[in-house]
Structures are given as structure tokens and as C-alpha cells.
Amino acid sequence: MTDDQLAELLSWTGERMGDVRMRYRGEVMVSRALRNPIIRGCPICLRGDSKDERPPLRKMVMQGSWLCRGVNVCVEHNHMLVPL
């Protein structure tokens, strides 16, 4: 993995910046705004990820927008996020 690829991956993951702050996609945010013990997702996105794949979990991925507590709807499908 190149340095640029690693930096891109970390930008979607969030990097700690002290006790309660994180850098996420170039923005500094309060970590509680991003990290939530309840993992949510869009069933339509996940169903599409796993279509025609065996085993189905092989291609399912989390979307960065699902991490934000204030986001309750999938930006692509306008479907409510559900606990996974």
C-alpha cells in the first residue's frame, strides 16, 4: 500500500487527535459525533454489495457517512439507516 493510499484509508477511518477529537476527511470533529457503539447501515447498499457474491459478506462495506450520529438516512437511497 502506498503512502497516499494509506492516508486515504485513514481519512475515512478517523485519526485520533487527543482525548475527544478526531480528524475525519480533513476536518477536526468531536469523536462522539463519529463513533457510536451502535453500528448502523443501509440494507439496500449492503444488499447491492453482496449481490451475486459467494459468500455474501465478502464484498459488503461500511460507508463513511453511516458513522456520523446526525446522519439517519442513506445519502444514496434515501432509506433509513438500521442497526446492524
Side-chain angles (χ1 to χ4, degrees):
M1 185 176 288
T2 68
D3 289 342
D4 288 342
Q5 289 171 326
L6 182 58
E8 177 72 11
L9 178 64
L10 286 175
S11 76
W12 283 106
T13 305
E15 298 175 81
R16 286 205 140 176
M17 296 185 59
D19 292 338
V20 296
R21 301 222 180 265
M22 297 181 75
R23 181 178 313 282
Y24 179 74
R25 301 295 295 157
E27 300 291 331
V28 176
M29 305 179 84
V30 176
S31 60
R32 285 180 227 120
L34 291 173
R35 301 292 167 106
N36 189 336
I38 299 171
I39 304 298
R40 301 171 306 147
C42 172
I44 299 170
C45 286
L46 294 171
R47 199 173 303 122
D49 289 346
S50 67
K51 185 178 179 186
D52 301 324
E53 184 67 34
R54 296 292 176 252
L57 294 177
R58 184 180 219 167
K59 286 183 68 180
M60 289 181 173
V61 295
M62 295 291 297
Q63 304 294 325
S65 61
W66 300 349
L67 298 174
C68 298
R69 285 184 185 231
V71 175
N72 295 309
V73 176
C74 173
V75 296
E76 184 175 344
H77 298 106
N78 201 30
H79 188 281
M80 291 296 292
L81 300 179
V82 299
L84 300 177

